């Protein structure tokens, strides 16, 4: 197997494709992945594998049951038209269990129709257009005129015994083709006689009146000729008119017209009308199955649905459930989405009230959940290398290139320099004009040095001996951000005056750290900044530059835990917490000094996260310890670092008896014990009066707004649930039982 292959995706795509060739339709597959490129990768592999399975089965078919070619010839087209006009298919055990199968793939990107009020109608329109392209407008129009009957469309197929696949349409016990042939033959014969001999002219008497009695035979002959020629002509005109109408006004046109008509779209029967059109398409596919001597399955690939609004998402899911899930439907729906986003969007829809209902709604639709597995380390290295070299993320369709080509060569699409060195230098000079006014280092900047360092940084990610590829995300967009950010970071480092260049591995590791854990890194940088500010104001001992970032995080992690309710959205952007610990604690032990240097050239870290953390942390209040809130309450981050003696001193300051200080010491109650214990347990241990307990609680347990929401984030007590009711009688009706 080639080193550029993605074994996991190919194997799982093959397994899914083989399953789809054996299971009965209708089928709805939930293809789950958070990476859109991974989804496209798997979908393309599925199409390739299913096409190969189709060809393999056709090669094994015996001659008498060999299916017709997919690309029709002139003879095949004429045979199909004759079947549409004069015959009806017969459903037999043989033609209903064909081993050969043909797949028609329909890719529907919901994002392209996101502006439509009826997104599900766009899905049906796309399906109609593709089927017309695959089978032909003429064939579909003839089927609508000559085969489809709305009254019998709802009836199930009746399986008959026998080997005949076709039954001729009959009129008065005669085959339709025979009756039509006789009419046409008779009309042609009469027309030929009239052309050859013409109508006899009646003799005119002297007074100008025709001799009626003698020419009655000619009048009868004329009437018979007109009747013989007129009826077929009228039928041909009507047939031609209806066929032209069906070709000009097809299914997607009718649906689009109904969507534009507000009165029609608001009717309850609009989806029912669309359902009838889907029924027609299903019956046409069943007709083509008998004609082509193979099963036909329409694979509907629905992508980018999770990018739409909740109402439209639910509409598409309902359409899948209502329109495409008929018992005899030949459709296989591949719902390729990010499941986390999809459930959240469905949860926000008007028809759902909680995530339990959202999951239940999906379970009623999805008949085969398939989660795309995460990329292995080898696959992540290969994808990273392909992106650096400007190839596709899908190695199967990537052009073969020299493995020894430098990662940052000018042939790479991520390289910012032109192939011409002269144009590259000119571009660099034009983009760095503002820096020339501030620094004098640009004159000494060497393009080859920048390129060498960029290549080394890419190599540290791709090399199997490196530890950095383990921390890459399987999302290709994250890889692209890292690749582009590394190059920008290196250029900035070279441009900054008096900046000490860092090793390439350190640069790449810092970029990966900022991309994978932006909230935790912003928290560490904010803690370092606050410590340096307090050092300047209070003349305190600052943070040692050799102190590791993991130690800084451990020192302040409880503060982050207390405020996690307010920064939950930012924390959800971070990757695996265990990998974060392994990254900073074992593999890449960055120090405070390195963080301060890298902070100057970090471009892939959102500063709004750091500003939010600074506001929540309330650093301005901590700089002035004399500033207290109106209730004289200590900030919870100050309480959490207090020792037992510090708590006793604060209790003495607020006028609490010394006997309570002895209780605090005997029970080893420090700041963490106060904040993380249940209030009822503390009150029982301290044995305070109601007034003393109120003073104690207001001092130690009522923090400022920066830790609001702590009650919801502390560990749960022993009881599984309790009733929470507002103390005010007017809110008694708002009582509810909740997990605590």
């Amino acid at each position: 197997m080639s080193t550029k292959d993605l074994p996991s995706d190919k194997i799982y795509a093959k397994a899914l494709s083989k399953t789809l060739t054996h299971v009965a339709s209708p089928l709805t597959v939930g293809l789950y992945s958070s990476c859109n490129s991974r989804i496209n990768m798997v979908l393309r592999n599925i199409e390739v594998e299913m096409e190969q399975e189709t060809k393999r089965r056709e090669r094994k078919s015996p001659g008498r049951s060999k299916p017709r070619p997919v690309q029709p010839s002139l003879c095949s087209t004429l045979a199909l038209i004759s079947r549409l006009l004069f015959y009806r298919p017969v459903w037999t055990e043989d033609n209903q269990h064909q081993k050969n199968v043909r797949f028609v793939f329909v890719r529907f990107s919901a994002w392209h129709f996101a502006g439509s009020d009826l997104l599900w109608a766009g899905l049906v329109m796309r399906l109609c257009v593709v089927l017309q392209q695959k089978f032909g407008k003429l064939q579909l129009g003839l089927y609508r005129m000559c085969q489809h009957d709305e009254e019998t469309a709802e009836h199930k197929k009746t399986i008959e015994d026998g080997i005949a696949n076709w039954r001729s349409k009959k009129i008065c016990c005669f085959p339709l083709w025979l009756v039509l042939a006789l009419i046409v033959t008779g009309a042609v014969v009469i027309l030929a006689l009239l052309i050859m001999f013409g109508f006899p002219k009646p003799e005119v008497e002297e007074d100008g009146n025709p001799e009626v009695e003698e020419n009655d035979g000619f009048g009868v002959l004329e009437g018979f000729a007109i009747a013989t020629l007129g009826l077929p002509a009228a039928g041909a005109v009507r047939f031609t008119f209806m066929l032209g109408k069906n070709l000009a006004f097809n299914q997607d046109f009718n649906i689009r017209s109904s969507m534009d008509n507000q009165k029609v779209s608001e009717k309850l029967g609009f989806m029912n009308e669309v359902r009838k059109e889907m029924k027609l398409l299903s019956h046409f596919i069943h007709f083509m199955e008998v004609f082509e001597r193979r099963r036909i399955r329409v694979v509907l690939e629905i992508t980018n649905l999770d990018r739409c609004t909740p109402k439209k998402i639910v509409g598409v899911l309902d359409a899948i459930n209502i329109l495409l899930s008929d018992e005899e439907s030949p459709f296989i729906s591949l719902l390729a989405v990010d499941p986390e986003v999809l459930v959240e969007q469905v949860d926000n829809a008007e028809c759902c009230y909680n995530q339990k209902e959202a999951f239940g709604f999906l379970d009623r639709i999805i008949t085969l959940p398939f989660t795309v597995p995460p990329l292995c380390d080898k696959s992540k290295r290969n994808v990273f290398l392909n992106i650096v070299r400007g190839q596709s993320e899908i190695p199967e369709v990537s052009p073969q290139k020299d493995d020894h080509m430098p990662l940052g060569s000018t042939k790479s699409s991520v390289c910012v320099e032109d192939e011409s060195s002269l144009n590259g230098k000119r571009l660099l000079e034009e983009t760095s004009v503002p820096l020339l006014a501030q620094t004098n280092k640009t004159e000494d900047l060497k393009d080859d040095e920048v390129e060498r360092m960029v290549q080394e940084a890419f190599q540290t990610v791709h090399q199997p001996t490196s530890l950095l590829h383990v921390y890459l995300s399987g999302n290709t967009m994250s890889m692209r951000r890292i690749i582009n950010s590394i190059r920008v970071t290196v250029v900035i480092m070279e441009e900054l005056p008096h900046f000490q260049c860092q090793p390439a591995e350190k640069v790449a590791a810092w970029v990966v750290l900022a991309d994978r854990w932006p909230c935790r890194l912003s928290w560490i940088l904010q803690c370092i900044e606050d410590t340096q500010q307090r050092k300047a104001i209070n003349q305190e001992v600052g943070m040692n530059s050799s102190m590791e970032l993991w130690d800084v995080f451990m020192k302040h992690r409880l503060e982050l835990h207390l405020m996690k309710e307010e920064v939950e959205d930012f924390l959800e952007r971070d990757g695996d917490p265990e990998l974060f610990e392994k990254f900073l604690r074992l593999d890449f032990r960055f120090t405070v000094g390195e963080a301060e240097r890298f902070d100057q050239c970090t471009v892939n870290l959102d500063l709004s996260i750091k500003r939010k953390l600074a506001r929540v942390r309330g650093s301005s209040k901590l700089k002035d310890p004399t500033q207290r809130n109106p209730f004289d309450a200590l900030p919870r981050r100050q309480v959490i670092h207090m020792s037992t003696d510090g708590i006793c001193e604060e209790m003495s300051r607020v006028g609490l008896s010394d006997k309570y200080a002895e209780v605090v010491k005997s029970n080893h109650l420090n700041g963490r014990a106060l904040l993380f214990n249940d209030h009822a347990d503390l009150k029982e241990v301290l044995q305070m009066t109601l007034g003393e307990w109120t003073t104690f609680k207001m001092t130690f347990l009522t923090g400022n707004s920066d830790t609001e929401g702590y009650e919801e984030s502390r560990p749960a007590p022993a009881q599984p649930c309790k009733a929470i009711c507002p103390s005010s009688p007017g809110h008694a009706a708002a009582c509810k039982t909740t997990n605590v």
Side-chain angles (χ1 to χ4, degrees):
M1 182 178 292
S2 174
T3 59
K4 292 185 178 181
D5 291 336
L6 295 180
S8 60
D9 286 344
K10 292 188 66 176
I11 291 175
Y12 284 94
K14 184 176 183 179
L16 181 57
S17 63
K18 283 187 173 294
T19 302
L20 296 181
T21 56
H22 288 85
V23 297
S25 63
L27 180 69
T28 302
V29 181
L31 188 61
Y32 298 144
S33 177
S34 59
C35 178
N36 190 51
S37 297
R38 295 291 309 286
I39 288 177
N40 292 330
M41 221 181 293
V42 174
L43 288 178
R44 191 168 301 186
N45 285 328
I46 288 175
E47 293 179 6
V48 172
E49 293 291 340
M50 295 176 80
E51 292 291 348
Q52 291 178 355
E53 177 68 14
T54 298
K55 295 178 181 179
R56 184 186 66 82
R57 292 190 179 191
E58 291 185 1
R59 286 195 298 267
K60 292 184 177 181
S61 300
R64 61 182 181 85
S65 62
K66 202 170 187 64
R68 296 178 186 269
V70 175
Q71 296 295 335
S73 60
L74 178 60
C75 295
S76 177
T77 302
L78 294 177
L80 176 58
I81 293 175
S82 66
R83 294 292 193 276
L84 288 169
L85 293 175
F86 305 116
Y87 294 89
R88 292 193 182 277
V90 179
W91 317 119
T92 64
E93 291 289 344
D94 185 42
N95 60 34
Q96 292 303 299
H97 297 88
Q98 294 281 354
K99 293 184 179 180
N100 295 300
V101 62
R102 173 187 176 186
F103 294 100
V104 179
F105 297 96
V106 181
R107 179 70 65 90
F108 173 75
S109 178
W111 184 246
H112 296 165
F113 295 85
S116 174
D117 294 334
L118 297 176
L119 181 61
W120 62 269
L123 169 65
V124 178
M125 289 169 51
R126 175 63 180 166
L127 186 61
C128 294
V129 170
V130 174
L131 291 182
Q132 290 172 6
Q133 294 174 351
K134 295 294 184 179
F135 296 101
K137 285 187 177 182
L138 176 62
Q139 291 84 335
L140 199 55
L142 287 175
Y143 180 84
R144 177 186 289 272
M145 292 175 51
C146 305
Q147 296 284 337
H148 185 64
D149 186 2
E150 292 187 0
E151 295 182 359
T152 60
E154 300 296 333
H155 298 171
K156 293 184 178 180
K157 293 187 297 186
T158 302
I159 307 299
E160 301 180 3
D161 295 331
I163 59 175
N165 293 328
W166 301 97
R167 181 176 293 126
S168 177
K169 297 179 182 179
K170 293 184 179 181
I171 297 179
C172 299
C173 299
F174 292 99
L176 177 61
W177 63 268
L178 179 60
V179 174
L180 185 62
L182 291 176
I183 293 175
V184 172
T185 303
V188 170
V189 170
I190 294 175
L191 183 62
L193 292 175
L194 292 176
I195 293 174
M196 293 174 60
F197 301 103
F199 287 103
K201 298 181 180 180
E203 297 181 2
V204 182
E205 296 181 354
E206 296 179 356
D207 56 358
N209 296 325
E211 298 179 355
V212 179
E213 293 81 359
E214 298 180 3
N215 297 292
D216 286 342
F218 295 107
V220 173
L221 182 61
E222 291 179 8
F224 179 74
I226 294 174
T228 305
L229 297 177
L231 291 177
V237 170
R238 181 181 179 277
F239 180 84
T240 305
F241 174 77
M242 295 298 297
L243 180 60
K245 179 182 176 182
N246 281 285
L247 293 177
F249 304 99
N250 43 44
Q251 289 95 328
D252 61 304
F253 180 84
N254 296 332
I255 296 173
R256 189 181 295 107
S257 300
S258 299
M259 289 177 61
D260 295 337
N261 191 337
Q262 185 176 1
K263 293 183 179 180
V264 176
S265 61
E266 290 177 353
K267 290 182 181 179
L268 294 177
F270 177 51
M271 180 172 281
N272 184 52
E273 294 298 324
V274 178
R275 188 183 65 83
K276 291 180 180 179
E277 296 293 337
M278 297 303 300
K279 200 76 175 178
L280 182 143
L281 294 178
S282 298
H283 288 179
F284 174 72
I285 292 174
H286 294 323
F287 180 93
M288 294 300 299
E289 286 179 338
V290 179
F291 178 76
E292 294 188 1
R293 297 192 289 270
R294 60 160 69 91
R295 286 182 295 137
I296 299 177
R297 294 294 176 262
V298 180
V299 182
L300 184 59
E301 303 171 350
I302 305 174
T303 60
N304 297 319
L305 184 61
D306 45 13
R307 301 174 63 183
C308 301
T309 59
K311 182 179 179 181
K312 296 177 181 179
I313 291 176
V314 173
V316 171
L317 296 178
D318 282 335
I320 294 175
N321 196 25
I322 297 174
L323 303 176
L324 306 179
S325 298
D326 185 74
E327 184 178 351
E328 298 178 350
S329 174
F331 300 106
I332 298 176
S333 304
L334 286 176
L335 190 61
V337 293
D338 183 349
E340 182 178 0
V341 177
L342 183 65
V343 170
E344 182 180 356
Q345 293 285 65
V346 174
D347 184 28
N348 294 330
E350 297 177 357
C351 61
C352 296
Y353 301 97
N354 51 53
Q355 284 197 353
K356 181 180 179 181
E357 292 189 9
F359 281 109
F361 180 76
L362 292 178
D363 290 340
R364 289 192 296 269
I365 297 174
I366 304 299
T367 53
L368 175 59
F370 185 89
T371 302
V372 179
L375 287 174
C376 62
D377 292 341
K378 177 182 178 181
S379 298
K380 285 193 291 186
R381 292 198 311 269
N382 292 335
V383 172
F384 184 87
L385 178 62
N386 289 331
I387 298 176
V388 171
R389 291 181 174 179
Q391 300 177 357
S392 169
E393 297 96 18
I394 309 174
E396 289 79 7
V397 299
S398 300
Q400 299 293 330
K401 295 187 178 182
D402 187 7
D403 291 340
H404 301 287
M405 183 180 65
L407 290 177
S409 67
T410 56
K411 295 183 180 180
S412 174
S413 64
V414 298
C415 181
V416 296
E417 292 185 324
D418 192 80
E419 294 183 359
S420 172
S421 60
L422 179 60
N423 294 337
K425 293 181 179 180
R426 185 177 305 167
L427 177 61
L428 183 60
E429 292 174 358
E430 292 175 356
T431 56
S432 58
V433 170
L435 296 178
L436 289 173
Q438 303 175 13
T439 64
N440 295 324
K441 191 177 180 179
T442 307
E443 299 177 358
D444 302 327
L445 181 64
K446 296 181 180 180
D447 295 343
D448 54 349
E449 182 65 21
V450 174
E451 197 62 33
R452 182 191 62 80
M453 190 170 182
V454 170
Q455 292 183 23
E456 290 181 0
F458 291 157
Q459 288 286 352
T460 58
V461 180
H462 174 260
Q463 286 178 351
T465 57
S466 174
L467 300 174
L468 197 53
H469 64 269
V470 178
Y471 301 99
L472 289 178
S473 170
N475 194 319
T476 56
M477 291 302 297
S478 175
M479 295 185 186
R480 289 184 178 276
R481 289 195 299 268
I482 290 174
I483 291 170
N484 297 329
S485 299
I486 287 176
R487 180 172 292 279
V488 176
T489 302
V490 171
V491 174
I492 294 177
M493 288 171 54
E494 293 291 341
E495 291 285 353
L496 290 176
H498 311 296
F499 187 88
Q500 183 180 1
C501 293
Q502 302 296 317
E505 185 178 20
K506 284 281 187 179
V507 175
W510 182 262
V511 172
V512 172
L513 176 62
D515 182 81
R516 298 286 283 117
W517 299 280
C519 184
R520 284 172 170 80
L521 179 58
S522 299
W523 171 251
I524 293 174
L525 296 178
Q526 184 61 39
C527 292
I528 295 174
E529 179 182 326
D530 291 344
T531 303
Q532 300 299 339
Q533 291 173 348
R534 286 195 295 269
K535 171 186 175 182
I537 294 176
N538 301 327
Q539 302 298 322
E540 298 176 356
V541 178
M543 194 175 292
N544 192 344
S545 60
S546 60
M547 185 177 183
E548 295 183 357
L549 296 188
W550 175 250
D551 296 332
V552 177
F553 180 77
M554 288 297 296
K555 182 179 179 181
H556 300 278
R557 68 184 304 177
L558 286 178
E559 297 180 37
L560 183 61
H561 170 73
L562 291 178
M563 63 175 68
K564 71 176 184 179
E565 295 293 334
E566 299 184 44
V567 296
E568 183 178 3
D569 294 338
F570 295 127
L571 283 172
E572 289 180 354
R573 296 180 57 184
D574 286 359
D576 192 340
E578 285 72 21
L579 282 180
F580 174 75
E581 179 179 355
K582 184 174 181 291
F583 186 95
L584 286 182
R585 188 177 178 182
L586 299 178
D587 295 339
F588 300 96
R589 305 173 67 173
F590 285 101
T591 62
V592 173
E594 291 175 329
E596 291 177 341
R597 289 193 293 270
F598 276 117
D599 191 31
Q600 304 176 50
C601 54
T602 303
V603 295
N604 63 326
L605 186 63
D606 189 357
L607 294 181
S608 63
I609 303 177
K610 188 168 175 285
R611 289 194 295 268
K612 174 67 175 179
L613 294 173
R615 289 194 298 269
V616 176
R617 196 165 190 257
S619 58
S620 59
K621 293 183 179 181
L622 294 179
K623 295 175 185 176
D624 186 2
T626 62
Q627 182 180 357
R628 303 287 284 273
N629 56 41
F631 300 100
D632 202 33
L634 294 172
R636 285 177 181 158
R637 81 171 48 82
Q638 183 176 345
V639 175
I640 202 172
H641 294 296
M642 293 179 68
S643 62
T644 302
D645 294 334
I647 292 175
C648 294
E649 293 177 3
E650 190 65 25
M651 291 172 61
S652 177
R653 189 190 65 81
V654 297
L656 294 176
S657 176
D658 293 339
K659 65 178 182 179
Y660 300 121
E662 296 298 329
V663 177
V664 171
K665 291 180 180 179
S666 61
N667 287 277
H668 304 286
L669 296 178
N670 54 15
R672 297 183 182 181
L674 294 183
L675 291 180
F676 287 94
N677 267 300
D678 188 64
H679 293 178
D681 296 337
L682 288 175
K683 186 176 181 180
E684 183 179 355
V685 170
L686 295 174
Q687 294 295 318
M688 290 181 174
T689 64
L690 181 59
E692 291 172 332
W693 169 251
T694 302
T695 302
F696 180 86
K697 183 178 179 180
M698 291 178 61
T699 303
F700 295 100
L701 305 180
T702 309
N704 49 24
S705 60
D706 60 333
T707 56
E708 185 179 356
Y710 160 71
E711 296 295 335
E712 290 78 6
S713 62
R714 59 186 174 84
Q719 63 270 26
C721 64
K722 69 178 183 178
I724 301 177
C725 301
S727 58
S728 173
H731 298 282
C735 295
K736 62 179 179 179
T737 301
T738 181
N739 293 329
V740 179

